[in-house]
Amino acid sequence: MRENRQQLYIELQSMASRGIVLFLDGYPSSPEYVTHALCAQEEACYMRDYVYDETEGVLKELHFDKLSET
């Protein structure tokens, strides 16, 4: 569990350092906050949504949205 958390944090930190903006449930967030939220809420499921710059074709945002149980 600790290893998964550390891997997630490293992945998100790397993305943020390249200028990719992270969002959690619609709000800009830090790698630390996203990692904490995803690992603390083990019963919740989050979907990743990759947002690309259409003109340059590069990743510009990564959204984590909590899936509702319907």
Side-chain angles (χ1 to χ4, degrees):
M1 177 68 174
R2 190 176 196 310
E3 186 176 314
N4 290 341
R5 182 183 186 124
Q6 186 175 12
Q7 288 176 345
L8 176 62
Y9 174 75
I10 290 169
E11 174 190 6
L12 298 179
Q13 184 63 39
S14 173
M15 290 180 155
S17 70
R18 294 188 321 235
I20 298 167
V21 182
L22 305 174
F23 287 83
L24 181 66
D25 290 325
Y27 296 98
S29 299
S30 67
E32 297 86 0
Y33 191 77
V34 173
T35 300
H36 175 73
L38 269 60
C39 292
Q41 298 184 28
E42 294 176 357
E43 295 176 14
C45 291
Y46 283 84
M47 177 181 69
R48 288 186 183 208
D49 185 17
Y50 297 88
V51 179
Y52 289 87
D53 181 316
E54 291 184 22
T55 59
E56 296 182 30
V58 296
L59 183 62
K60 66 178 187 174
E61 297 177 358
L62 176 56
H63 295 242
F64 289 87
D65 298 309
K66 191 175 190 178
L67 300 177
S68 61
E69 295 181 30
T70 55

